[in-house]
Every structure is written in C-alpha cells, then in structure tokens.
Amino acid sequence: MRPVRAACALLVLGVMTLAGCGRSDTPSTSPAREAPVVVDAGNGKITIPGRPKRIVALSPTATEILFAIGAGPQVVAVDDQSDHPANAPKTDLSGFKPNAEAVIGYKPDLVVLASDIGGIVKTLEKVGIPVLLEPSAVQIEDAYDQIADLGKATGHAGEAGKTAQDMRQQIEATVKATPPGKGLTYYHELSESRHSASSKTFIGQVYGLFGLENIADRADKQGDGYPQLSPEYLLKADPDLVFLADTKCCGQSEATVAKRTGWSALSAVKNDNVVPLDDDVASRWGPRLVELVKAVGAAVQRAATAQ
C-alpha cells in the first residue's frame, strides 16, 4: 500500500495492485538460529539460509514491523517512504521504482518489499539474494501473518508472536469498549479528489469492526475497492462520519473540508464528526494499526453517544 505522502493517486494505485500475504509453515526458531528456514511469502516458499545481518526494506510497513519485532539492528537500508521509526536508516531507494543495482550495492542478505514492480524479485534472486514479497494486506489477519513471516525470517519469531498478540488484544479491547456503530455511515477520504475505499478493502474492514456502513460501497461499480465518488453522490449520501487520510499529503482538515462546495450542510461537518487521520498510519498494516483502530473507535464513540 502505498505511501500517501508522495501522492494520493499513488496510494490508491499501490493499495489496489497487490493482494494477500504469506503464511509461515515451519516452527518458530530462536533469535540465535543459523539453520535455514522456509517462509511462505507472496513470491512462494523462500529459503532464508541463516539469520540475516544486512536487511534492506523497500516497504514502509515492512520497516515498521522489522523494528517492532527487534530486527532493527539488522536493517542496513530502508526506502525513501519509510519514516517510522525515526532511527530507521532511510535512503533514496524507491519501492515504487526499485533499482536493483542500488539495492545490491548495500550487500543485503535479505530484501523485503511489497510489490514486484519491474520484476525486481527475479533480478535479485538471480544474484542469490533472498527476497520476501509481502504485499498489501487484504484481511486484517494478513497483517499478523506478515509479522510472523518477518519474525521467522529474521530470527525474531518470539518477538513477532508477542507483537501480533499485543496488537490483537488491543484491537479487540478497543472494539469491545466502543458502542456499536450500527446505523452510522462514514466516508474514508484517500484524496481530495474523493477517492475512497470500500468495505472489501483492508481499511474498510477496520471500519467494519465497529459496524459502520460505508457510503463508498454502492459507488464501487468497477469492484476494485477504490471508487472515486462524485460530489453529488457524496453530498446525497450525507455520511455521519468523515475520516480524512489525506491530512499530511494534501493538507486536508476539518476547516478545509467545511469550505468545500456544499459540505457545510453535511451531517459530519455540522456535528463535528470530521476526523483527521495520520496518512501513514491509515495506509499501512503494521503494528501501528492499533493506533488507527483506536482513532476510529474514539470517533464512533463520540458519534454514537451524541445520537
């Protein structure tokens, strides 16, 4: 999925292009393991010869996961969109336009990426570099699976298991503590041009945890999960909640949307239910998914209480 920051259109493209994620088949190993392990990633069953010491991550989500599970010291380079955590070794490497020669220059013994643009996976494999393709999550469970994959591949299976368990528990606790949002409608904005995400997408499933109704569903005529809503359609749908995932990339806020033609009449605007989100948190499927769930839960609680 792809980083909203560069351009909202790239976010939509990045999220749309890939689906699914790998699952691990073999038992967990200790952090000190040197024996080969096999990880079932998006590009098949990949053998990792030993505990990698020079990892290159070309996906912001992968970067966040690697550092969250304790593999940060093994990471020697991350892509230009990886901005969390702050101490990640950010470079000018691109996950959108990957340059195999530049990646090879870091002498990696493992490369993790979210898309196989330009056939980079085979290019790196030809020179003997193990590559894990961990594409955009489609189901929430995919996020946990990818954490397990990276834990297994890097020798941090135990930490990965704990990270996923903590995420699951916090998400379940947030949903349980939030009044049901049944009857409440919402609009999730990916771009100022009104691109949104339907319920079938990963982000749509996050909102589905709270029983919210997605106004983008009926507009998804192409069935790709990312329709562009017309101004008329959006105003007629009159969502109870508006979530802005274009605050950092595009400067959108409660104030800017209230100035849009016709928007001052929307229920969400009138009732102060326009919710600014962190673009990065809302477009990634790593450990900070918990933050997104909590933000949505707090908004649902406010709206439900006001009904």
Side-chain angles (χ1 to χ4, degrees):
M1 277 213 281
R2 186 36 247 134
V4 181
R5 189 186 312 278
C8 292
L10 277 179
L11 165 67
V12 177
L13 176 62
V15 179
M16 288 167 56
T17 50
L18 293 165
C21 68
R23 294 177 180 271
S24 299
D25 292 335
T26 58
S28 297
T29 54
S30 68
R33 66 92 181 160
E34 286 298 337
V37 296
V38 177
V39 177
D40 192 357
N43 53 324
K45 294 183 183 296
I46 307 302
T47 298
I48 312 297
R51 188 169 187 258
K53 297 179 176 63
R54 296 186 62 81
I55 302 171
V56 170
L58 298 182
S59 157
T61 297
T63 297
E64 294 192 19
I65 293 174
L66 288 166
F67 276 80
I69 65 175
Q74 296 157 254
V75 179
V76 296
V78 301
D79 70 292
D80 57 356
Q81 297 298 312
S82 289
D83 52 10
H84 184 86
N87 63 328
K90 189 173 181 178
T91 70
D92 59 0
L93 293 175
S94 173
F96 284 122
K97 295 181 179 180
N99 182 315
E101 184 177 355
V103 173
I104 293 169
Y106 285 93
K107 300 180 180 179
D109 48 13
L110 177 65
V111 173
V112 185
L113 36 72
S115 62
D116 187 21
I117 297 174
I120 188 171
V121 171
K122 286 187 177 179
T123 301
L124 295 175
E125 289 177 341
K126 284 181 180 178
V127 295
I129 299 174
V131 181
L132 291 183
L133 178 63
E134 297 288 351
S136 303
V138 176
Q139 307 286 336
I140 292 177
E141 287 297 321
D142 294 344
Y144 303 133
D145 289 338
Q146 290 193 14
I147 291 171
D149 283 353
L150 294 184
K152 182 178 181 181
T154 61
H156 294 274
E159 296 96 321
K162 185 178 185 305
T163 296
Q165 181 181 30
D166 287 348
M167 287 174 62
R168 194 186 296 273
Q169 290 177 344
Q170 290 188 64
I171 289 172
E172 290 176 352
T174 298
V175 173
K176 184 177 180 180
T178 305
K182 188 175 182 180
L184 290 173
T185 59
Y186 79 94
Y187 162 61
H188 178 86
E189 180 168 287
L190 292 171
S191 71
E192 193 177 354
S193 55
R194 300 173 309 283
H195 281 96
S196 191
S198 75
S199 296
K200 69 169 60 174
T201 64
F202 178 82
I203 188 67
Q205 291 186 17
V206 172
Y207 291 108
L209 294 173
F210 298 94
L212 299 177
E213 180 182 341
N214 191 339
I215 69 165
D217 289 349
R218 288 184 293 108
D220 188 18
K221 305 301 183 183
Q222 302 298 320
D224 58 25
Y226 297 91
Q228 181 180 22
L229 311 186
S230 70
E232 297 77 17
Y233 177 93
L234 198 152
L235 292 175
K236 183 176 180 180
D238 190 19
D240 297 301
L241 290 153
V242 169
F243 295 90
L244 302 175
D246 52 358
T247 58
K248 294 167 70 175
C249 75
C250 314
Q252 297 307 296
S253 66
E254 303 99 310
T256 62
V257 299
K259 295 177 181 178
R260 296 178 185 175
T261 303
W263 278 59
S264 60
L266 288 180
S267 297
V269 175
K270 291 190 296 184
N271 297 325
D272 196 26
N273 284 326
V274 176
V275 184
L277 300 174
D278 182 305
D279 301 16
D280 297 331
V281 173
S283 65
R284 300 173 188 173
W285 55 97
R288 290 197 292 168
L289 173 61
V290 172
E291 295 179 25
L292 175 62
V293 171
K294 288 182 177 180
V296 173
V300 171
Q301 178 144 9
R302 288 194 305 270
T305 303
Q307 280 187 322

